[in-house]
């Protein structure tokens, strides 16, 4: 298309093979899988498609490297992460173009993700040298307690397609800082960002076997033997709640330590005293970041009945003004959804809401032409029984409902199996704190539509997951306590 940037160069530069024990290798079977551009449906390239034998080779490499890596000086681990951070920042444009090519988001959003991803490496480079223990006297007075923190051991990291670079660094960063080795399995839709990241860490001096990357279209065949085999000691997974439940069951056999960031059904609450300019700005971020393909995306908009009409009209005007198209084209705000199945799900949810009486203010129709595009959509008069109220939409659709009472909206917001994030907009600080504390979520955005930050603990409650990523507690998931009793 006219004005579209070339995607050939960064794709050609990325290794297309598995990364095991510091070497690039073909899959044992020789199999490959295609990587498609969701903006066109065309195949960008093929990468190695691993099977169970390749997964075991990656596991063996991680196990073999664990002892020496755990003994590596914290400062050395810190410096590797710092060098990788600097390389990522220096290569922002090529990494952004690579990400846009395989995932679809606009180049502006991709550049923002590169900066976000790099920051996890900088943050955990600083945490690597702050792993502390303790010394104390036990109550009997005759014994001393010596506590140290030790790496949990070889880890299996499974990342999603929606933030292909940042979800890798958010898991790899603390693992490296803690002294753990890893097998990384990226999503089959977006393997290139992970392969590029592995190459960057190799360049930054990460020893062979510490990070191993296995790209595969057969996740179950590769992952299950690793979780049941007894040598992987930790699983870090980001993905759907349904898959998370399956992985938890597989972890049980050998008591693999899990941390999981799963689905979301975020409420976005606008009270009658809210600053509507701030609320609409926040809604644009909370809904349209990554085309709505984010676990933190606002899913259910609860707006006080006295301001609902104005809020919805303003939001529809802003959403309708966004430019939809291939993410590599200049001026594009909204790229394609990840694939046709994802778009079909969004279209079905909108159709169900309309059949139940919802009104479409903007969007709501699949456009003609190639690619997996869906327009930014605002619905009002949404029936609470509509499927999109109990399903993670994962698309650019804002469903607006009204409320009149604080207790009423809190009950509605909490009426879900998920509990990742919620958003509250009000000028009343007391109300904001009160409602924020009552929401059954792990994170709350108070008068903001963005909660993600490498310095903050990211994670949810209920069926939105276990554990936290990022912040000072992010490294805790990769460490265990060792207690020595010393009589004196």
């Amino acid at each position: 298309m006219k004005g579209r940037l070339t995607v050939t160069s960064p794709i050609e530069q990325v290794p297309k093979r598995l990364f095991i024990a510091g070497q690039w290798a073909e899959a044992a079977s020789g199999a490959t899988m295609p990587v498609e551009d969701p903006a066109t449906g065309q195949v960008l390239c093929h990468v190695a498609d691993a099977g169970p034998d390749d997964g075991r080779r990656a596991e063996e490499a991680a196990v073999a490297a664990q002892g020496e890596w755990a003994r590596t000086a914290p400062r050395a681990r810190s410096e590797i992460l710092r060098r990788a951070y600097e390389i990522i920042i220096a290569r922002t444009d090529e990494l952004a173009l690579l990400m846009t090519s395989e995932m679809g988001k606009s180049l502006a959003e991709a550049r923002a993700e590169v900066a976000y991803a790099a920051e996890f490496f900088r943050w955990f480079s600083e945490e690597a040298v702050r792993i502390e223990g303790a010394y104390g006297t036990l109550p009997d007075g005759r014994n001393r307690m010596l506590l140290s923190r030790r790496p949990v051991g070889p880890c299996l990291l499974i990342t999603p397609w929606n933030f292909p670079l940042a979800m890798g660094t958010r898991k790899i960063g603390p693992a490296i800082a803690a002294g753990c080795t890893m097998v990384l399995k990226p999503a089959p839709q977006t393997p290139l960002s992970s392969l590029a990241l592995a190459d960057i860490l190799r360049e930054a001096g990460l020893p062979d076997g510490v990070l191993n990357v296995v790209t595969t279209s057969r996740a179950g065949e590769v992952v299950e033997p690793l979780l049941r085999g007894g040598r992987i000691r930790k699983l870090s997974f980001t993905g759907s709640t349904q898959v998370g439940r399956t992985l938890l069951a597989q972890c049980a056999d050998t008591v693999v330590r899990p941390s999981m960031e799963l689905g979301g059904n975020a409420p976005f609450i606008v009270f009658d005293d809210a600053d509507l300019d701030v609320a609409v700005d926040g809604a644009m971020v909370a809904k349209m970041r990554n085309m709505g393909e984010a676990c933190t995306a606002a899913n259910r908009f609860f707006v006080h009945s006295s301001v609902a009409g104005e809020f919805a009209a303003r939001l529809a005007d802003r959403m309708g003004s966004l430019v939809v198209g291939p993410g590599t084209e200049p001026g594009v705000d909204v790229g394609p959804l990840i694939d046709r199945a994802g778009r079909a799900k969004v279209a079905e949810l909108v159709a169900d809401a309309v059949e139940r009486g919802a009104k479409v203010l903007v969007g709501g129709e699949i456009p003609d032409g190639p690619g997996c595009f869906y327009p930014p959509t605002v619905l009002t008069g949404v029936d609470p029984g509509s499927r999109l109220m109990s399903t993670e939409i994962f698309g650019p659709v804002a469903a607006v409902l009204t409320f009149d009472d604080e207790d009423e909206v809190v009950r509605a917001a909490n009426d879900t199996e998920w509990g990742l994030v919620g958003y509250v907009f009000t000028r009343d600080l007391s109300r904001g704190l009160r409602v924020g504390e009552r929401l059954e979520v792990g994170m709350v955005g108070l008068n903001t539509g963005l909660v993600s930050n490498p310095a903050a603990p990211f994670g949810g409650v209920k069926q939105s997951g276990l554990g936290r990523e990022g912040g000072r507690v992010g490294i805790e998931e990769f460490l265990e306590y060792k207690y020595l009793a010393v009589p004196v």
Side-chain angles (χ1 to χ4, degrees):
M1 294 184 181
K2 184 178 179 181
R4 192 173 187 195
L5 300 176
T6 177
V7 300
T8 303
S9 179
I11 292 174
E12 287 183 346
Q13 293 170 5
V14 175
K16 312 299 190 302
R17 294 172 289 176
L18 312 177
F19 187 62
I20 299 176
Q23 303 296 318
W24 296 103
E26 303 292 344
S29 66
T32 62
M33 61 182 187
V35 181
E36 296 184 359
D37 179 353
T40 64
Q42 296 178 351
V43 174
L44 297 168
C45 63
H46 288 78
V47 300
D49 189 0
D53 288 343
D54 301 303
R56 281 188 285 270
R57 285 195 295 128
E59 177 191 50
E60 289 167 1
V63 170
Q66 179 60 58
E68 183 174 351
W69 179 240
R71 292 187 293 270
T72 302
R75 178 61 69 190
R77 300 197 296 264
S78 172
E79 292 299 332
I80 289 170
L81 286 170
R82 181 70 190 201
R83 286 194 295 271
Y85 159 79
E86 292 170 350
I87 294 170
I88 291 172
I89 293 298
R91 297 179 186 170
T92 293
D93 287 343
E94 67 182 73
L95 288 169
L97 184 52
L98 182 70
M99 192 187 316
T100 294
S101 302
E102 66 174 347
M103 189 267 156
K105 67 183 69 183
S106 70
L107 282 172
E109 284 211 64
R111 291 189 186 98
E113 181 176 337
V114 172
Y116 177 53
E119 196 62 29
F120 282 107
F121 277 0
R122 177 157 69 167
W123 175 266
F124 285 109
S125 74
E126 295 161 348
E127 291 298 293
V129 295
R130 292 174 174 82
I131 300 172
E132 298 177 346
Y135 176 83
T137 301
L138 292 174
D140 61 14
R142 298 188 299 274
N143 290 276
R144 301 297 181 263
M145 175 180 65
L146 182 63
L147 290 180
S148 63
R149 308 303 304 279
R150 307 299 302 165
V152 69
C155 302
L156 174 61
L157 314 178
I158 303 177
T159 55
W161 50 260
N162 56 340
F163 291 93
L165 195 67
M167 296 304 96
T169 60
R170 193 160 79 179
K171 296 180 188 300
I172 293 170
I176 288 176
C180 296
T181 59
M182 297 149 279
V183 176
L184 170 66
K185 191 214 78 66
Q189 297 95 328
T190 56
L192 300 178
S193 294
S194 293
L195 294 171
L197 186 57
D199 207 33
I200 286 171
L201 284 162
R202 177 197 58 77
E203 183 178 340
L206 191 68
D208 295 350
V210 174
L211 173 65
N212 306 275
V213 181
V214 178
T215 55
T216 181
S217 64
R218 298 175 286 166
E221 296 177 33
V222 173
V223 167
E224 184 171 1
L226 302 184
L227 292 178
R228 297 190 188 277
R231 296 197 290 180
I232 293 294
R233 299 312 316 144
K234 173 173 178 56
L235 167 69
S236 178
F237 169 71
T238 298
S240 72
T241 298
Q242 180 181 359
V243 174
R245 294 189 193 109
T246 299
L247 294 175
L248 274 174
Q250 294 172 3
C251 286
D253 279 356
T254 52
V255 196
V256 173
R257 179 176 174 177
S259 56
M260 296 188 168
E261 190 262 287
L262 307 176
N265 191 12
F268 188 102
I269 303 172
V270 182
F271 284 96
D272 54 348
D273 67 338
D275 183 325
L276 288 191
D277 290 334
V278 173
V280 172
D281 285 345
M284 292 298 294
V285 174
K287 179 73 264 181
M288 292 308 299
R289 184 184 181 212
N290 214 51
M291 295 85 73
E293 294 176 315
C295 54
T296 55
N299 214 52
R300 301 167 294 152
F301 285 78
F302 299 102
V303 186
H304 194 274
S305 57
S306 65
V307 296
E310 183 179 356
F311 173 85
R314 288 196 194 186
L315 182 60
D317 183 63
R318 290 279 297 275
M319 297 264 279
S321 69
L322 297 174
V323 178
V324 180
T328 50
E329 286 191 357
V332 164
D333 301 304
V334 183
L337 300 184
I338 188 63
D339 53 31
R340 291 190 178 276
R343 183 176 69 171
K345 171 189 169 184
V346 172
E348 290 167 5
L349 291 173
V350 170
D352 172 73
V354 171
E355 287 175 5
R356 295 171 184 263
K359 179 183 178 181
V360 180
L361 295 190
V362 68
E365 296 288 341
I366 294 177
D368 295 330
C372 303
F373 297 98
Y374 195 87
T377 298
V378 177
L379 306 175
T380 59
V382 177
D383 187 312
S386 300
R387 287 173 50 208
L388 51 67
M389 298 304 293
S390 58
T391 303
E392 191 172 22
I393 300 171
F394 243 60
V397 177
V400 180
L401 298 87
T402 61
F403 73 93
D404 294 299
D405 175 75
E406 180 180 312
D407 290 337
E408 167 198 354
V409 75
V410 170
R411 283 195 301 270
N414 288 338
D415 186 19
T416 174
E417 66 186 20
W418 290 297
L420 185 63
V421 61
Y423 303 93
V424 179
F425 286 78
T426 176
R427 286 187 174 99
D428 185 336
L429 180 59
S430 294
R431 171 190 275 166
L433 292 174
R434 183 173 64 246
V435 172
E437 291 176 356
R438 293 177 67 189
L439 289 178
E440 296 171 353
V441 295
M443 302 174 288
V444 175
L446 180 54
N447 294 320
T448 180
L450 181 65
V451 297
S452 301
N453 191 295
F458 188 102
V461 299
K462 299 197 286 190
Q463 294 193 42
S464 282
L466 303 166
R468 296 293 183 268
E469 294 183 306
R472 296 195 65 182
V473 301
I475 199 171
E476 299 289 333
E477 301 290 343
F478 295 86
L479 292 168
E480 300 205 86
Y481 280 100
K482 176 167 280 190
Y483 154 54
L484 275 70
V486 185
V488 295

